[in-house]
Structures are given as C-alpha cells and as structure tokens.
Amino acid sequence: MLVPIHDPALEELRAELAQYPRMDGYYQLDLVSITLLRQARMTQNEILNALYDCWAPHKAIAAYRVAFPLIGTPNLEERTPEYDDYEYTVENALEALTYELKGGSGIGHLVDTISPAKAAELATRFFALFRSPQAYRGLGLADPFFVFEQGVVLLDDERAGCLLMIESD
C-alpha cells in the first residue's frame, strides 16, 4: 500500500547528495505515497509502523540479532510503539537536518561533509517536497551494523519521505 514516488526533484536531490559521500556510511532518501493508508483511515502510528516495515533494513537487523543475541529474556508482551516522543516541530527538524547534513566536528567528523549553505539548501529542498509535514526523528530505521542514524522522516496528507545519514565512526 506504500507506492514509491518518482519525483524529478527527489532524483535531483539524490544525485546531488551522491556528490557528498559520508565518511563511513550512506544516505537513505526515499519518498512514498501514503494516500491509500490515509483513505483506509490508518492512524499516524499505524502509518509510521508501515513506513518502518518498508524502510528498515530487516535482513541486516536479523543478521545483527544472530551476531549479537539478546542477553536475558525478551518481554513477550507485544507493545504497539507510539511515535509521539519522536515528533519534532518542522522548524527544529529542518535545523537539525541542516546541521547533520553539514557533518563536521559537531557530529564527530574532522571536516564538514557539506558546506553550511549547501546543507541548508539541500535540507530545504527535501522539506519542499511536502505540504504541511509532520516531522519525526530517531525512529531507528538504520542498519544496526552502523552506529548513528541522523536525519528526518516527514509525512503530510499524501506522502512520506526520509532523508537519513547512516554512519559509523
């Protein structure tokens, strides 16, 4: 029910990000239609669960659990995740994405990955793909073999997208 969106602006953004490789990681940039989910009257949490099912690297997570099994007994009671704690204002999310795209000493890099002005432009272009979005950060979509996940997931009435930087030291 999540349909990939092939937007020329997204492809331009993807090509431009490729010019700025991460020190030890990669970008995850995706855009999908959530119109069918909205029409089915799914809650925001249900939509975010569907996005997790779509975007999280499940094979890597399974391999990680084999390599690093849980210590102790997991809680067998299934719990529905609530995403309210991960919601940010659009302004704060845009500022954080700009900072994280830039890289540099603030996130443990020796040099900036992208100039501050270019990072602001790229972040603004990603946000421009949405009308009145809701912003989420820290959803745990990253490959667990990498240490850091930075970036943002945005949802509006019709689409959802993520722009994440997945990195290790």
Side-chain angles (χ1 to χ4, degrees), residues 8-118:
L10 179 75
E11 296 311 317
E12 288 173 16
L13 189 57
R14 184 174 280 124
E16 199 151 350
L17 283 170
Q19 297 174 28
Y20 304 98
R22 302 310 286 191
M23 288 179 64
D24 183 21
Y26 60 94
Y27 297 100
Q28 183 171 336
L29 177 61
D30 288 302
L31 186 64
V32 295
S33 172
I34 58 172
T35 302
L36 294 174
L37 303 182
R38 296 276 191 214
Q39 289 171 350
R41 300 195 189 288
M42 290 180 76
T43 67
Q44 193 78 344
N45 281 332
E46 291 169 331
I47 292 170
L48 286 162
N49 282 334
L51 292 170
Y52 180 85
D53 289 343
C54 177
W55 289 334
H58 300 288
K59 288 180 184 175
I61 292 169
Y64 185 86
R65 288 189 178 144
V66 168
F68 303 99
L70 293 173
I71 298 173
T73 307
N75 183 356
L76 299 176
E77 180 181 310
E78 281 295 319
R79 188 170 101 71
T80 303
E82 299 291 330
Y83 294 96
D84 294 344
D85 291 344
Y86 301 94
E87 188 171 359
Y88 284 72
T89 67
V90 170
E91 296 79 17
N92 287 346
L94 178 59
E95 181 180 325
L97 180 62
T98 299
Y99 180 78
E100 293 159 353
L101 279 168
K102 178 182 80 67
S105 62
I107 62 167
H109 296 172
L110 297 175
V111 296
D112 289 353
T113 303
I114 303 174
S115 74
K118 188 62 170 182

